Amino acid sequence: MRVLVVYCHPVEESFTAAVRDAAIRGLARAGHEVDLIDLYASGFEAVMSRQERLAYHTPGENTRAIADHLARVKAAEALVFVAPTWWYGPPAMLKGWLDRVLVPFETFGIPQPFRPLERRLTNIRVLAAVSTLGSPWYWWLWVGQPGRRILLEGLGGIIHPRARKLWLALHSMDSASAARRAGFLARVEAKFAALRP
């Protein structure tokens, strides 16, 4: 498959960077073609401008500032996010990427009353997200899983209806031992090495 990996972390030597590398190693072992977008390294502008917002519902105009990113999403058969969870959701940089790149008419149809959201990214047959969280595994009992829901369920409504979904998370990251971190990296690599459409 052609796999677009969207990576988001401001620190080059972070554990999240090691997670990204493990995912890419696994994808390469499986023979997938990887296209990496490193949001911080590329200097992606997360803030939607006034002009972009005004053009948001105008086909053609709403793609002008993000055409390259949108083309890479449309060329992919799998979409993989690698980012930490901060304040129960994705970092602002990643949220800004979602806001700016996944525009109407290109990635989804404008919702109509009593009609399901129109899927325009049916080329995406695998959707995956890998994250680290400072909170323990049971945090979702009272907070829910907003980050997971944004990335898998929110995007799940605009990709192929039978797309496979994968969520991998290392909880209690701040207190995780070296052995536990190494085990998580091995699990990430193995899962992506086994990834199929």
Side-chain angles (χ1 to χ4, degrees):
M1 290 184 294
R2 291 183 302 277
V3 182
L4 178 61
V5 176
V6 180
Y7 168 69
C8 183
H9 200 287
V11 180
E12 297 88 346
E13 65 275 13
S14 69
F15 181 73
T16 305
V19 172
R20 172 204 61 208
D21 294 345
I24 290 173
R25 279 194 308 272
L27 291 167
R29 277 177 43 200
H32 300 304
E33 175 187 334
V34 176
D35 177 14
L36 172 66
I37 295 178
D38 183 330
L39 294 177
Y40 277 94
S42 67
F44 181 77
E45 177 55 60
V47 178
M48 182 182 290
S49 71
R50 178 181 188 276
Q51 186 55 44
E52 277 183 282
R53 185 57 204 170
L54 290 172
Y56 187 74
H57 292 97
T58 306
E61 286 187 40
N62 63 357
T63 63
R64 200 165 288 149
I66 48 82
D68 176 59
H69 286 258
L70 181 60
R72 292 162 82 175
V73 171
K74 288 184 162 191
E77 296 165 286
L79 183 55
V80 176
F81 295 98
V82 180
T85 293
W86 292 339
W87 273 104
Y88 312 111
M93 178 75 82
L94 179 51
K95 181 60 169 63
W97 186 87
L98 298 172
D99 292 341
R100 291 188 62 216
V101 175
L102 303 182
V103 293
F105 306 107
E106 295 289 339
T107 64
F108 63 92
I110 296 296
Q112 302 292 325
F114 310 108
R115 284 178 35 198
L117 190 62
E118 185 182 343
R119 301 168 183 269
R120 299 235 172 133
L121 287 181
T122 54
N123 53 297
I124 304 291
R125 294 181 166 268
V126 175
L127 178 61
V130 188
S131 193
T132 57
L133 306 91
S135 54
W137 66 269
Y138 51 82
W139 70 285
W140 62 268
L141 293 172
W142 65 89
V143 176
Q145 294 180 309
R148 177 181 181 166
R149 292 180 68 188
I150 288 169
L151 295 175
L152 295 191
E153 304 313 318
L155 268 70
I158 63 173
I159 62 172
H160 196 282
R162 290 187 298 280
R164 295 184 56 218
K165 296 177 188 172
L166 174 66
W167 170 261
L168 297 169
L170 178 64
H171 288 270
S172 301
M173 170 63 200
D174 301 329
S175 59
S177 66
R180 190 159 165 259
R181 290 182 188 201
F184 183 71
L185 293 177
R187 181 172 173 240
V188 167
E189 184 172 343
K191 284 285 188 181
F192 283 101
L195 199 63
R196 299 292 180 270

